Each structure stands twice: as structure tokens, then as C-alpha cells.
């Protein structure tokens, strides 16, 4: 039997993209290097411009959704620019010997930071080798003994005077361990304590008074002893200091000579001289001191006080740095000051300053996730201030820092960085509205396309990227059938028959999953079968909810008819998005009409389940009915429209075509074919407009019909403008090919009504009248009757 297609029905070539076998073969055979990021010329031009504008405020906002290759494109272009740019200088923090709470900064040429650190550490090692060995020098020992001898001479002279007076009074003077004592002499022999106790009381009292007089004389003679000891210590200290200075002088002289052209280093070395002498004086004992610190402890103290803290190292001729900070926080971005604990308290110094992403990117480029950055208003304000002032300051006095008795405030470092924000379209326009400084600081927008052109260059690029991904998974060959299937997936992602999706990361994800199935079959080639297995595997893993909906319909829990006729009822199509999966499911839309003047009531809106766009679509129905039928009488009716068995929020106007068809069916009492489902939005003139998710909607209704058995009458009505968005799966295409399922496209409500009712919608004749038996003619008569009935009753 010859099948005569309906004039509004789609043919097989219209159900999906038509792939050019020659282009596919050419892409698979090509092994030449293809330029990266085909189809993103606008974004690439913005990136090149922002990088070339080496002026304040020309930072960049990269707009686009994830998986468009934004980060990779930005990195590739930045790497090319960075390689041609001069390597930035290094920055160090130095001990501020005048005020340790405010560390100084030092700028060095690239690679010089490590060299300077090694030179200072070598200087410290030489000091440790020099001292205390330098105190063993004979000249030092001779001077030290001379100083000690001068002290001893004064002390001995004082004791001799006292001893002479004591002998004159028959008393002998003893000195033992620095203590002086007296003993009486009787018969030329000093008395011990036992002999002294045998003397008479009178003799003892005499000697007591005598010894008292001698002690007074002794005290007078040794009155200046503390001063002598102080002079001794000062002289010894001066000797040690002079010895240290003489020993350090040649070590520092070599360092000053090597850095004669580096004024910052030269100034630091000269400032360091006196403090280095002081540190050696305090830490390095001479041989007479018993308590000596471990050499490792001494070295640590010298390092903590004198070695520069190089924040970021740059290899010479390495170009400008490119830093991506995935987790922007104040510490990660601006750096932090760390603390150590000692005896229950915290302390810090310049060596415990740690760099942030801005330090590492200084002189180059910093990439940030705008969504994560802008959720922290204080951090955003701090970044804007740094970019405007051109200074990078670690804030240790705010809430970001640890409050303790030891607080340091490092000096600011000049900041020269190009910031690249990766963010969504909505966020870009939101921040423009709420932040007046945003346009001043981020003058360049790189807007990424959602689609890639379908041409030889794009296909060659995709084939190259797919093969690279396959090589990582040990799959060697990409077959033509596998490539076609991957292209179909990309078309489906784009929802367009002539454009590929720019979300190429999704294609690579599918490639990885398909390679898994190829590996399971021990295949070295990637075929269409493997890609289909990957698609079905993901659909199965994420399809529990869609299957549950289908089961509810089959069991009669949700009332959907796929055959027969019904007045005021039509099968609408909806798309549910849950997580990373989306699926279509039919929904019954019903309408009732009766005499009254309430107008068209959207039950979803009345119970606050219908959101703004859905409510707008229903309100348009009144405008359509009035313009279509009520030119010569007031539009007066009461009608209720509802999406049955819907218990959640509803948004979108894609049901408005189905709703107007159900409403006109209820007005005219003409039944609607339940074998057809409808999707599309309308305007007030009855033109059908395109909607989203058309593929999922068609496949959702097809699955229901397939589960009940395809009758050959079932099908879906879609807007004609959506034909370009069709990329249907093989099951639907095969059913259409076998005439078991049909797809119709309509441009007007009248075309949809004719398909759904099997009755001509009817067109106005030259007198402005519709045919009486047509849908529009019957609707006009019925609405006039209701208007007369209601308005007449009101007049009575």
C-alpha cells in the first residue's frame, strides 16, 4: 500500500543533521596540526586585545558556561604572551633592624633571590667557623690577660694595704675563693677557731674589735671594686667586639664588592654589619665561658635574623608567570603571616611571611573563578583596592590575621598583574549592575560562543582532540561510524542540525566512557557501537526517575491517553531537569468552558504553582481568542485551564499551544486526537513559536507510545521553527521511517487544530466569515452564544 505523507509531516532527512561523508573522511585522514579553538574568534580577539593593552584597568572577564574550553584557551594564549614577556623581578622581605614589626622589602633580578640567600647562608657558616676560634688568637689572649692583670693588680694592691695594717696589729689576712677573712696571731702563730675559743673573754673581745676595724679598712680599700669589675667587663667586651669586627670585615667586604651595583643589597649588608657583630657578641662565647650553645642552634638564630625571605623565585628568561588560584581566599590570594608557638604564646617574624597568588602572579597573569571570588565581598573589595592602588599589602591587622602580642605589618610591594576572571553570563551582568568600579577595572569582555560551525576545520580539530584522548586510554583507531556517532552527540548537545556544541568537554567525556566499553570488548578501535553503549549506560545510570514516571503512566497512576478522542483534553509535553540529566514526559492539559464572565482562569497561577512565564502564556490566550473571534461582540466566557496531576512549580510557555487547542475543543465540543502530543508557544496572533528541549519532549512521548505499542497514528506536533533543532535518537527515526510514528510541524494554531481534530480550521472568506462546519466557525458561533447569554442575563 502506498503511503501518502501528510503535508505537515517531516521526512527522514529532516529529523537530524545530514553528515557529509567526504568531510568525515577528510577529518579522519588529516594529520596536520589544526589551530586550537575553532569558532571562538570573538573570544580570542578579546583575549589578545586585553593582553596587548598593558595599561591599568584592562583586566579581562571571560564569559561563558563551563566545558566550553574557556580555561584551556585562556591558558594557551597567555602562555604564548608570557613566553615573549620579560621575567618579572623577585621580591624579598628583610629584617628591619630598626623596627622588626615592619619588615623591609627588596627587589632583585630574576634568579638572584636564591643566590643572595645562599651567599648570606655561606656568610653565616663562615662566621660559625670563625668564632669562637678567633678568640684563640695569641694577640686576643694577650690583650685579654693584660686587661685581667690590670684588674688583679688593683685588687692585690688594695689587699696588700689591708694586710700590712693587719700584721701591724698581730692579725693575719686570708683570701680563699674570693672571700677575705682575718685571724689573730699569738706567739707568732695564727689561731684556728678551736684555739681562739680557749682565749679569755677579754682577749676575744679585743680581737673582735680589731677585726672589725680591719674589715672597715678593707671595705674602704675595696669600695671601687664593683667599678673595677665593670671596667673589666667593658674592656673585655670592647676587646671581643673589636676582634669580631676585624674578623667580620673581610667577609662582608667580599659581599659588598659582589653586590656593588645592587644598591638595595648593599644597603642591607651595611645595615647588617653592626647587628651581625652584636649577634656574635651575644651568642659566641670565648673559651672561658662554660655554657656554650649548640652550633646548630646558633645557625638557626642567625638564619632567622639575617637571611632574606624570598617570596617567589623566578628562573631567568622564564617569561611572565601564569597562576590559576582555584580556591580564592584572603590568605591564598594576598599571602599570610604564619605563627609559631612557644611557652603558650605565639610569635612571628619576617621569615614567616608566606606569598599568595598575587605575589606569584606579580608581573604576569592571574586567573580566578569569578563565582568563588565574588561570594566573598571583603576579598573582592581588597582585590579592587590592590588593582587600583598598584600595591600588594598583606593585611595582618584585620579579621584575616591572628591577633597576638607579636604582630608584624610588612611593607607593600608594587603590583603589576593582569587578572582574568572566569564567570557566567548572569554573574557578569549582575556585577555590572551592583558594582560601579567593575567596568573601570575589567574593561575587556571575552564572550565565548555556545556553538561551533560545522565545517572541515572544526571536524579536523575534533578528530585530533578525540584521537589524543583515545591514545591516553590505549585505543588506537577512531572509525568513521564512531566519529559520526560522536558528531551526532555534539549536534544533540547544541540542539541544532547545522551547528556543533562548543561544550567539547562533554564530547571528550563521552569518548572516555566509550573507550571503557571498547576496552571491555578488547577492541583497539572506537566504533558507533561503543559510543551507543556509553550513551545507553549513562541513560541507564541516571534514568531511574524517568522510568518511574513511565511506570506510573502505564499503571494508570498518571492519566495519559495515547489513542481515542476526548473533548477539552490534549497531551502536552514537558521536560524535567534533575541534576545533569533531562528527560521529557507527557502531561495532560484540560480545559472547561461554561457561561460566565470570569475569563480564562489559569488554575496553576491561582494556586501559585504557575510561575511568571507560564502565567504569561495563559494570559495570551485571552488576547488570541479576542483577536480571532470577538471582533463584533464582547469576549465573555468562563474557562478553566489546568495541567493535570502536576504538583510542583511549572514554568515556561511551551504549553500555550496545547492549552489553546484544549480550550477551543472545549468551546466547540470537537474532540481531540489523544494519539497526538503537542508542544509550542503562541503569540496573540496565533503564530506558533519555538520552544526548548524539543528532542527530549518527542522522545519522552515516543517511549510511552512504544511501551504501549505503536499504532501508526501516534505522533508529536512541534513548531515549524523547531525543525532545525531536531537531533533524534535512532529508535524514533526508525519508527518514523516505518510510518509507525509521525512528526508534524505547524506555523499557526489553525494548522495544529486541523491535525488534532481532523476538522478543517477554516479561513475567513471575503465577507469575513468562517465556514460553518469549520473549527473556527463553530468557535465563533459558540462564543457569540455565550456572550449573548451572559450579557443578556446581565441586562435583564
Amino acid at each position: 500500500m502506498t503511503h501518502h505523507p501528510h503535508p505537515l509531516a517531516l521526512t527522514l532527512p529532516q529529523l537530524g543533521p545530514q553528515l557529509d561523508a567526504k568531510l568525515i573522511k577528510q577529518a579522519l585522514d588529516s594529520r596536520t596540526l589544526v589551530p586550537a579553538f575553532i569558532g571562538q574568534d570573538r573570544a580570542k580577539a578579546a583575549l589578545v586585545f586585553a593582553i596587548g593593552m598593558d595599561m591599568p584597568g584592562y583586566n579581562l572577564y571571560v564569559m561563558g558556561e563551563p566545558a566550553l574550553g574557556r580555561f584551556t584557551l585562556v591558558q594557551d594564549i597567555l602562555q604564548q604572551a608570557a613566553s615573549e614577556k620579560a621575567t618579572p623581578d623577585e621580591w624579598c622581605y628583610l629584617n628591619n633592624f630598626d623596627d622588626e614589626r615592619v619588615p623591609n622589602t627588596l627587589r632583585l633580578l630574576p634568579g638572584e633571590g636564591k643566590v643572595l640567600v645562599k651567599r648570606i647562608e655561606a656568610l653565616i657558616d663562615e662566621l660559625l667557623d670563625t668564632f669562637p676560634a678567633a678568640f684563640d688568637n695569641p694577640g686576643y689572649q694577650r690583650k685579654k690577660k693584660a686587661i685581667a692583670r690590670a684588674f688583679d693588680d688593683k685588687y692585690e694592691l688594695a689587699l696588700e694595704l689591708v694586710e700590712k695594717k693587719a700584721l701591724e696589729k698581730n692579725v693575719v689576712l686570708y683570701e680563699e675563693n674570693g672571700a677575705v677573712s682575718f685571724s689573730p696571731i699569738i706567739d707568732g702563730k695564727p689561731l684556728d677557731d678551736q684555739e681562739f675559743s680557749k682565749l679569755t673573754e677579754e682577749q676575744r673581745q679585743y680581737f673582735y674589735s680589731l677585726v672589725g676595724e680591719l674589715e672597715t679598712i678593707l671595705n674602704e680599700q675595696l669600695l671601687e671594686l664593683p667599678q673595677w669589675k665593670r671596667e673589666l667587663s667593658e674592656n673585655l667586651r670592647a676587646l671581643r667586639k673589636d676582634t669580631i669586627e676585624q674578623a667580620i670585615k673581610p667577609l662582608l667586604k667580599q659581599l659588598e664588592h659582589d653586590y656593588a651595583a645592587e644598591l638595595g643589597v648593599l644597603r642591607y649588608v651595611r645595615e647588617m654589619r653592626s647587628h651581625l657583630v652584636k649577634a656574635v657578641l651575644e651568642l659566641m662565647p670565648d673559651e672561658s665561658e662554660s655554657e656554650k650553645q649548640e652550633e646548630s642552634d646558633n645557625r638557626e638564630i642567625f638564619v632567622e635574623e639575617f637571611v632574606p625571605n624570598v617570596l617567589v623565585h623566578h628562573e631567568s628568561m622564564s617569561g611572565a608567570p601564569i597562576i590559576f588560584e582555584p580556591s580564592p581566599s584572603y590568605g591564598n590570594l594576598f599571602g599570610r603571616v604564619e605563627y609559631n608557638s612557644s611557652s603558650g604564646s605565639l610569635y612571628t617574624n619576617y621569615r614567616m611571611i608566606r606569598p599568595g597568588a598575587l605575589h606569584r602572579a606579580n608581573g604576569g597573569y592571574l586567573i580566578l573563578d569569578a563565582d568563588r571570588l565574588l561570594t566573598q565581598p571583603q576579598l573582592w573589595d581588597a582585590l579592587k583596592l590592590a588593582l587600583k592602588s598598584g600595591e600588594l599589602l598583606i593585611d595582618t591587622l584585620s579579621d584575616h590575621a591572628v591577633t597576638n602580642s607579636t604582630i608584624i605589618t610588612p611593607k607593600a610591594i608594587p603590583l603589576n598583574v593582569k587578572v582574568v576572571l572566569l564567570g557566567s553570563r548572569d554573574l557578569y551582568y549582575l556585577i555590572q549592575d551592583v558594582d560601579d568600579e567593575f567596568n573601570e577595572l575589567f574593561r575587556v569582555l571575552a564572550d565565548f560562543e555556545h556553538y561551533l560551525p560545522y565545517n572541515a576545520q572544526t571536524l579536523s580539530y575534533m578528530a585530533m582532540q578525540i584521537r589524543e584522548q583515545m591514545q591516553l586510554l590505549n585505543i588506537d583507531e577512531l572509525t568513521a561510524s564512531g566519529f559520526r556517532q560522536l558528531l551526532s552527540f555534539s549536534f544533540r548537545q547544541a540542539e541544532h542540525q547545522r551547528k556543533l556544541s562548543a561544550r567539547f568537554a562533554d564530547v571528550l567525556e563521552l569518548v572516555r566512557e566509550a573507550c571503557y566499553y571498547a576496552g571491555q570488548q578488547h577492541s583497539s578501535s572506537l566504533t558507533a557501537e561503543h559510543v551507543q553503549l556509553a550513551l545507553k549506560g549513562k541513560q541507564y545510570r541516571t534514568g531511574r526517575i524517568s522510568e518511574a514516571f513511565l511506570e506510573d503512566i502505564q499503571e494508570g497512576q498518571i492519566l495519559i491517553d495515547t489513542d481515542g478522542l476526548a473533548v477539552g483534553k490534549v497531551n502536552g509535553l514537558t521536560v524535567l531537569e534533575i541534576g545533569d540529566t533531562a528527560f521529557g514526559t507527557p502531561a495532560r492539559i484540560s480545559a472547561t468552558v461554561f457561561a460566565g464572565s470570569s475569563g480564562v482562569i489559569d488554575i496553576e497561577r491561582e494556586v501559585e504553582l504557575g510561575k511568571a512565564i507560564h502565567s504569561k502564556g495563559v494570559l495570551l490566550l485571552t488576547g488570541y481568542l479576542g483577536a480571532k473571534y470577538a471582533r463584533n461582540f464582547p469576549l465573555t466566557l468562563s474557562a478553566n485551564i489546568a495541567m493535570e496531576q502536576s504538583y510542583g512549580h511549572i514554568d515556561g510557555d511551551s504549553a500555550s499551544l496545547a492549552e489553546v487547542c484544549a480550550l477551543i475543543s472545549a468551546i466547540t465540543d470537537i474532540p481531540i486526537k489523544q494519539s497526538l502530543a503537542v508542544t509550542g508557544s503562541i503569540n496573540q496572533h496565533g503564530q506558533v513559536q519555538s520552544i526548548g528541549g524539543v528532542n527530549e519532549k518527542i522522545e519522552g512521548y515516543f517511549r510511552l507510545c512504544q511501551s504501549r505499542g505503536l499504532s501508526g497514528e501516534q505522533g508529536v506536533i512541534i513548531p515549524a521553527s523547531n525543525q532545525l533543532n531536531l537531533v533524534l535518537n535512532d529508535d524514533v527515526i526508525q519508527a518514523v521511517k516505518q510510518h509507525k510514528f509521525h512528526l508534524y510541524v505547524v506555523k499557526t494554531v489553525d494548522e495544529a487544530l486541523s491535525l488534532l481534530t481532523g476538522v478543517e480550521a477554516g479561513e475567513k472568506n471575503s465577507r469575513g466569515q468562517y465556514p460553518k462546519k469549520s473549527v473556527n466557525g463553530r468557535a465563533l458561533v459558540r462564543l457569540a452564544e455565550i456572550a449573548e447569554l451572559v450579557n443578556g442575563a446581565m441586562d435583564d
Side-chain angles (χ1 to χ4, degrees):
M1 185 177 75
T2 305
H3 179 77
H4 298 286
H6 192 282
L8 298 179
L10 293 176
T11 60
L12 282 178
Q14 295 175 302
L15 303 185
Q18 299 305 301
L19 300 177
D20 189 334
K22 184 183 294 186
L23 278 181
I24 291 176
K25 184 177 186 306
Q26 181 182 339
L28 291 175
D29 292 343
S30 174
R31 290 294 187 271
T32 58
L33 188 63
V34 181
F37 303 101
I38 306 299
Q40 299 293 359
D41 295 336
R42 188 193 312 275
K44 188 173 182 179
L47 282 164
V48 172
F49 173 75
I51 292 169
M53 287 295 292
D54 195 12
M55 296 180 66
Y58 283 87
N59 298 296
L60 182 70
Y61 187 99
V62 179
M63 176 195 291
E65 302 307 316
L68 294 179
R70 298 174 305 166
F71 183 74
T72 310
L73 175 58
V74 168
Q75 269 205 324
D76 282 0
I77 294 180
L78 289 183
Q79 283 174 354
Q80 182 179 354
S83 64
E84 300 170 358
K85 200 171 182 180
T87 307
D89 292 336
E90 297 179 347
W91 284 94
C92 309
Y93 273 112
L94 305 173
N95 192 0
N96 185 345
F97 299 110
D98 296 328
D99 186 356
E100 293 186 351
R101 293 173 297 178
V102 188
N104 289 322
T105 58
L106 174 65
R107 183 199 293 263
L108 292 171
L109 294 174
E112 288 297 317
K114 283 185 177 179
V115 176
L116 179 60
V117 167
K118 289 181 179 178
R119 292 297 304 272
I120 301 294
E121 288 179 344
L123 173 67
I124 291 171
D125 291 335
E126 289 177 352
L127 280 176
L128 293 173
D129 292 339
T130 304
F131 298 99
F135 298 130
D136 294 333
N137 184 281
Y140 171 80
Q141 292 295 332
R142 186 170 59 253
K143 292 177 183 178
K144 181 180 177 182
K145 289 178 181 178
I147 293 170
R149 188 162 54 249
F151 170 80
D152 291 342
D153 289 345
K154 290 181 181 180
Y155 185 70
E156 293 295 333
L157 181 60
L159 289 185
E160 285 179 7
L161 291 173
V162 176
E163 185 178 22
K164 184 177 180 182
K165 289 185 178 295
L167 290 175
E168 290 176 354
K169 298 184 179 184
N170 291 326
V171 176
V172 67
L173 181 145
Y174 289 101
E175 181 184 7
E176 185 175 0
N177 297 327
V180 177
S181 59
F182 297 95
S183 177
I185 300 175
I186 296 180
D187 298 331
K189 178 183 176 184
L191 302 180
D192 57 20
D193 290 341
Q194 186 176 1
E195 292 172 335
F196 183 75
S197 63
K198 295 178 180 179
L199 297 177
T200 63
E201 180 65 24
E202 185 179 349
Q203 289 176 317
R204 289 199 301 270
Q205 287 299 326
Y206 168 75
F207 282 114
Y208 281 145
S209 60
L210 193 59
V211 169
E213 291 176 10
L214 292 172
E215 287 178 347
T216 300
I217 295 171
L218 177 65
N219 290 336
E220 291 174 352
Q221 291 297 319
L222 297 180
L223 187 64
E224 296 182 356
L225 181 62
Q227 181 179 343
W228 298 341
K229 288 185 176 180
R230 191 162 53 248
E231 290 175 354
L232 171 66
S233 298
E234 289 175 355
N235 291 336
L236 288 175
R237 186 178 182 84
L239 174 62
R240 295 183 71 228
K241 183 178 179 181
D242 184 62
T243 304
I244 294 169
E245 287 177 344
Q246 294 302 317
I248 287 178
K249 190 173 182 179
L251 303 180
L252 293 180
K253 188 174 182 180
Q254 182 61 43
L255 201 59
E256 290 176 351
H257 179 268
D258 294 342
Y259 285 96
E262 296 285 345
L263 296 181
V265 179
L266 197 61
R267 187 186 307 113
Y268 177 63
V269 172
R270 290 174 179 173
E271 289 176 356
M272 186 172 62
R273 181 192 302 272
S274 61
H275 297 276
L276 204 57
V277 171
K278 181 180 177 183
V280 174
L281 197 60
E282 293 175 353
L283 295 174
M284 297 296 182
D286 58 23
E287 80 292 341
S288 65
E289 299 181 44
S290 57
E291 294 184 7
K292 296 184 179 181
Q293 282 188 293
E294 291 290 333
E295 186 174 323
S296 59
D297 294 339
N298 287 337
R299 189 181 193 282
E300 186 65 28
I301 292 172
F302 277 103
V303 167
E304 289 297 311
E305 190 168 354
F306 298 104
V307 175
N309 177 12
V310 183
L311 293 180
V312 181
H313 295 290
H314 294 300
E315 295 297 332
S316 181
M317 306 298 291
S318 62
I322 303 170
I323 303 297
F324 171 60
E325 178 49 62
S327 179
S329 63
Y330 192 89
N332 289 348
L333 210 54
F334 287 87
R336 62 175 62 84
V337 177
E338 294 180 347
Y339 289 81
N340 275 339
S341 176
S342 177
S343 303
S345 62
L346 299 176
Y347 71 93
T348 187
N349 63 15
Y350 78 101
R351 296 267 304 168
M352 299 171 75
I353 300 172
R354 297 294 176 258
L358 282 168
H359 292 95
R360 297 194 299 275
N362 199 4
Y365 308 95
L366 176 62
I367 306 172
L368 296 172
D369 187 324
D371 294 84
R372 295 187 179 182
L373 173 68
L374 294 170
T375 55
Q376 307 173 70
Q378 289 183 329
L379 182 58
W380 172 238
D381 289 340
L383 178 61
K384 289 190 298 181
L385 180 61
L387 292 176
K388 285 194 296 184
S389 65
E391 287 188 341
L392 178 50
L393 181 65
I394 301 177
D395 185 1
T396 59
L397 299 177
S398 67
D399 296 338
H400 310 295
V402 178
T403 303
N404 192 267
S405 57
T406 304
I407 295 178
I408 62 174
T409 53
K411 291 184 178 179
I413 291 174
L415 178 64
N416 177 26
V417 67
K418 186 82 70 176
V419 178
V420 179
L421 292 183
L422 305 179
S424 64
R425 188 176 304 275
D426 292 341
L427 182 62
Y428 176 77
Y429 294 120
L430 174 64
I431 190 101
Q432 271 195 327
D433 288 340
V434 300
D435 193 334
D436 296 335
E437 296 175 317
F438 179 72
N439 285 336
E440 179 186 341
L441 294 172
F442 291 85
R443 300 178 187 271
V444 185
L445 169 67
D447 193 355
F448 271 66
E449 302 285 351
H450 293 283
Y451 305 104
L452 297 177
Y454 175 56
N455 54 32
Q457 194 177 36
T458 304
L459 263 59
S460 297
Y461 166 74
M462 292 182 68
M464 179 187 69
Q465 296 290 333
I466 290 168
R467 280 195 293 260
E468 285 182 1
Q469 190 68 224
M470 290 167 54
Q471 288 173 0
L472 298 175
L473 299 166
N474 300 318
I475 303 297
D476 300 326
E477 182 187 0
L478 174 62
T479 64
S481 66
F483 191 37
R484 292 174 72 94
Q485 196 70 42
L486 290 168
L487 289 175
S488 295
F489 173 77
S490 185
F491 280 118
R492 175 65 177 257
Q493 291 291 93
E495 289 190 288
H496 204 287
Q497 294 180 356
R498 299 173 192 167
K499 296 177 182 177
L500 294 160
S501 172
R503 292 176 58 90
F504 193 63
D506 293 343
V507 176
L508 294 181
E509 179 184 344
L510 179 60
V511 170
R512 290 190 289 269
E513 294 176 7
C515 287
Y516 165 78
Y517 289 100
Q520 293 289 302
Q521 296 181 1
H522 306 289
S523 172
S524 61
S525 301
L526 190 69
T527 66
E529 178 190 357
H530 302 136
V531 179
Q532 289 170 345
L533 284 173
L535 290 170
K536 290 177 181 177
K538 184 165 186 177
Q539 184 179 356
Y540 178 74
R541 293 192 301 271
T542 61
R544 187 188 65 80
I545 297 177
S546 62
E547 291 178 7
F549 270 87
L550 186 60
E551 288 175 5
D552 287 344
I553 295 173
Q554 290 173 327
E555 293 171 357
Q557 303 293 332
I558 299 175
L559 300 178
I560 300 289
D561 293 330
T562 54
D563 55 19
L565 301 170
V567 174
K569 296 177 183 177
V570 67
N571 291 329
L573 296 174
T574 63
V575 172
L576 297 180
E577 294 185 10
I578 302 174
D580 64 344
T581 182
F583 61 90
T585 182
R588 175 179 285 177
I589 296 170
S590 64
T592 58
V593 176
F594 49 92
S597 59
S598 302
V600 180
I601 295 176
D602 177 15
I603 292 178
E604 310 298 335
R605 185 180 65 171
E606 294 300 313
V607 297
E608 298 182 354
L609 287 179
K611 292 190 175 180
I613 298 177
H614 177 265
S615 299
K616 174 186 175 184
V618 176
L619 291 172
L620 287 173
L621 302 186
T622 304
Y624 171 72
L625 292 177
K628 184 82 171 177
Y629 305 114
R631 294 291 184 94
N632 301 317
F633 57 87
L635 181 63
T636 308
L637 82 162
S638 290
N640 290 334
I641 295 178
M643 189 170 289
E644 296 181 0
Q645 293 183 279
S646 171
Y647 307 106
H649 290 286
I650 299 171
D651 202 8
D653 60 353
S654 64
S656 57
L657 175 60
E659 288 167 342
V660 75
C661 292
L663 183 60
I664 293 175
S665 171
I667 291 171
T668 60
D669 284 330
I670 299 176
I672 285 176
K673 297 176 184 178
Q674 301 301 292
S675 57
L676 296 178
V678 187
T679 183
S681 69
I682 66 166
N683 61 24
Q684 295 184 90
H685 300 286
Q687 294 171 313
V688 179
Q689 303 166 143
S690 62
I691 45 83
V694 64
N695 294 296
E696 289 80 4
K697 290 176 178 178
I698 293 170
E699 291 167 0
Y701 186 65
F702 173 78
R703 282 196 302 271
L704 173 60
C705 297
Q706 188 181 42
S707 67
R708 290 180 172 177
L710 296 172
S711 64
E713 298 294 327
Q714 294 139 336
V716 174
I717 299 172
I718 65 171
S721 53
N722 277 123
Q723 185 268 319
L724 197 62
N725 305 118
L726 293 180
V727 188
L728 296 165
N729 63 33
D730 291 340
D731 291 343
V732 178
I733 293 174
Q734 287 301 316
V736 173
K737 183 179 181 180
Q738 297 168 10
H739 310 298
K740 294 181 179 180
F741 194 75
H742 308 280
L743 293 177
Y744 304 97
V745 291
V746 295
K747 295 181 179 179
T748 64
V749 174
D750 286 349
E751 290 179 345
L753 285 170
S754 297
L755 282 167
L756 287 168
T757 62
V759 179
E760 284 298 320
E763 295 183 6
K764 285 184 179 181
N765 58 22
S766 58
R767 291 176 297 172
Q769 296 176 337
Y770 292 109
K772 288 185 179 180
K773 292 186 178 180
S774 68
V775 175
N776 289 331
R778 293 168 67 171
L780 181 63
V781 170
R782 179 58 180 154
L783 287 172
E785 290 174 354
I786 294 174
E788 185 178 354
L789 179 63
V790 173
N791 294 328
M794 291 175 67
D795 291 341
D796 292 342

